[in-house]
Amino acid sequence: MFDIRSRFGRFGIQALATVIAVPYLLPLVAMVSGSLAGQGLGNYKKVFDTGVVPLYFLNSAIVSAVSIALVYVCTMLAAFGFAKLRIAGKEVYFWLILVALTMPEAVLLTPLFVTASTFDMYNQLIAVILPLTALQVPFTILLARGFFEALPSELLEAGRVDGANIVQVFLHIVLPLTRPIAGAIVVLTLINAWNAYLLPLLMLLDPQKQVVTLLPTFFISQYTNDQTGVLASAVITALPIIVAYLLLQRSFERGLAAGALK
């Protein structure tokens, strides 16, 4: 890590970091202060009085956990194959996967809706989990491939010399070394899965299947627009992901740095 020794340099970096952070902090401050307007903490009581907060949190936790597991498995296998295995045409497949990064989620909503209806997955959490996983995998593969390419090939060859097959090499030699990049993948997937809004809004009409990001819809309708309830719902929705990020911040930063270096 670079060490800035001069007082002027440290002041400059601190000032630059503050300037960058302020535009992101101001909306958060406005959200929290707005959620306390009028009734104060009573606005949060109003959200919990809807009776759906525990259920929505549980559904969001299921969506996030399953998405993380699927993204992790797909990313580790694909990144290992692209980085270390001899596969005919693997660069073509890799770039085809990266093309998916250019597809915005909104463009995919109609075909995803038709597919979910065709396969009888509409109003099921799986209709949200599978698209969320597919949308995350291209970027996580791009991130993880650089990390896998930095692993010494001699380790894999040593395992093969000792009699291990490729599956054993992957499970017992490669995977234990991927904890930094795995931390970054888990945090990225958790944030995106927990904060998903468009897909749950489209796919989950059953109140028993909806997720926590849809809490504000209780306070917005044709005849009502309770902004304090909306902001209190937004704060409640954001708190778990903020806490999770703070707890996993070090792993996330190490993983991003490791994935960027070759």
Side-chain angles (χ1 to χ4, degrees):
M1 183 177 291
F2 294 106
D3 184 13
I4 300 175
R5 299 181 182 276
S6 68
R7 181 178 300 176
F8 178 78
R10 290 196 296 270
F11 176 79
I13 292 296
Q14 185 65 44
L16 177 62
T18 302
V19 170
I20 294 174
V22 165
Y24 295 94
L25 291 176
L26 287 178
L28 294 177
V29 173
M31 180 176 69
V32 174
S33 61
S35 69
L36 295 172
Q39 302 179 27
L41 294 178
N43 294 324
Y44 291 89
K45 181 179 181 299
K46 179 169 52 180
V47 176
F48 284 98
D49 285 344
T50 61
V52 299
V53 174
L55 176 62
Y56 283 17
F57 265 75
L58 176 61
N59 290 336
S60 287
I62 293 172
V63 169
S64 299
V66 178
S67 298
I68 289 171
L70 292 175
V71 169
Y72 175 78
V73 171
C74 294
T75 299
M76 293 295 109
L77 291 173
F80 177 68
F82 286 128
K84 295 300 183 182
L85 300 184
R86 295 178 181 176
I87 302 173
K90 69 177 183 180
E91 290 300 322
V92 176
Y93 297 134
F94 179 70
W95 285 103
L96 286 175
I97 290 175
L98 293 190
V99 169
L101 288 173
T102 66
M103 299 295 292
E105 181 181 344
V107 173
L108 301 173
L109 290 179
T110 299
L112 287 174
F113 176 81
V114 173
T115 302
S117 301
T118 302
F119 290 95
D120 199 24
M121 294 189 298
Y122 190 69
N123 262 333
Q124 303 294 326
L125 294 181
I126 193 68
V128 174
I129 292 170
L130 292 181
L132 284 176
T133 300
L135 289 169
Q136 298 303 312
V137 164
F139 179 72
T140 55
I141 289 176
L142 175 65
L143 189 65
R145 185 186 184 184
F147 182 87
F148 276 92
E149 288 179 340
L151 296 177
S153 297
E154 290 77 8
L155 287 175
L156 282 67
E157 295 170 0
R160 298 301 297 271
V161 169
D162 289 340
N165 58 39
I166 193 64
V167 175
Q168 292 171 325
V169 168
F170 175 72
L171 293 176
H172 301 294
I173 296 177
V174 175
L175 275 188
L177 300 175
T178 62
R179 290 179 182 175
I181 196 66
I185 290 170
V186 167
V187 173
L188 284 172
T189 308
L190 174 62
I191 291 173
N192 288 303
W194 186 271
N195 290 332
Y197 178 75
L198 284 179
L199 277 169
L201 183 64
L202 176 67
M203 299 292 189
L204 305 174
L205 291 184
D206 184 354
Q208 298 300 311
K209 301 291 179 62
Q210 292 181 351
V211 295
V212 72
T213 49
L214 300 180
L215 269 177
T217 59
F218 274 83
F219 304 98
I220 300 177
S221 67
Q222 183 177 358
Y223 303 105
T224 61
N225 186 10
D226 186 352
Q227 287 300 306
T228 58
V230 170
L231 293 174
S233 300
V235 173
I236 292 172
T237 301
L239 276 178
I241 208 68
I242 292 173
V243 173
Y245 177 77
L246 292 176
L247 294 176
L248 299 171
Q249 180 181 8
R250 184 169 298 179
S251 297
F252 177 66
E253 292 173 352
R254 283 204 305 262
L256 288 182
L261 298 177
K262 293 177 61 177

